[in-house]
Amino acid sequence: MNRNDRAWRIAGFMLMAAGYAVPLASDPWLAREAQHAVIVLVGMPLAFAGALLMVQGDRVIRSLRVERGRHRELVLAVRARRRARRRVARPSRRSATP
């Protein structure tokens, strides 16, 4: 694990802690149940995003960068080209005659 990956995992931990702290910071006795439910719904995505960052590290950020970039279809194009090359290089078993 490199330094950059560790930094993203620590950021995930902090985000997850913030997601847990949001509902705990609101006073459930003073807030009505509907307001408390909304506050919990705000904290839950924060906790999920933090857990994802803790587990995956900077792979999440790299995949988001690829998806957001202009070349997001590049991975699929490279895989399709490799598959096409494999089909040409390796004849199928059905075409071989005994």
Side-chain angles (χ1 to χ4, degrees):
M1 181 184 321
N2 59 12
R3 200 167 97 190
N4 192 24
D5 191 36
R6 191 175 300 123
W8 280 110
R9 288 177 192 258
I10 290 171
F13 176 76
M14 292 170 66
L15 195 61
M16 190 168 151
Y20 287 142
V22 166
L24 294 176
S26 69
D27 192 6
W29 291 281
L30 295 178
R32 287 183 278 150
E33 290 182 20
Q35 290 174 345
H36 191 66
V38 170
I39 292 171
V40 169
L41 288 176
V42 168
M44 195 176 298
L46 289 174
F48 284 145
L52 182 66
L53 274 176
M54 278 177 47
V55 172
Q56 295 294 326
D58 69 338
R59 283 185 278 183
V60 174
I61 304 306
R62 280 187 273 151
S63 65
L64 288 176
R65 236 180 254 152
V66 166
E67 282 295 320
R68 202 180 58 205
R70 294 183 296 176
H71 305 291
R72 64 180 163 265
E73 302 296 325
L74 183 63
V75 176
L76 295 175
V78 168
R79 286 183 184 164
R81 188 176 294 171
R82 285 182 185 163
R83 269 191 231 117
R85 258 192 287 156
R86 271 192 234 140
R87 281 189 214 130
V88 171
R90 184 176 16 158
S92 67
R93 293 181 182 177
R94 294 180 188 170
S95 63
T97 56

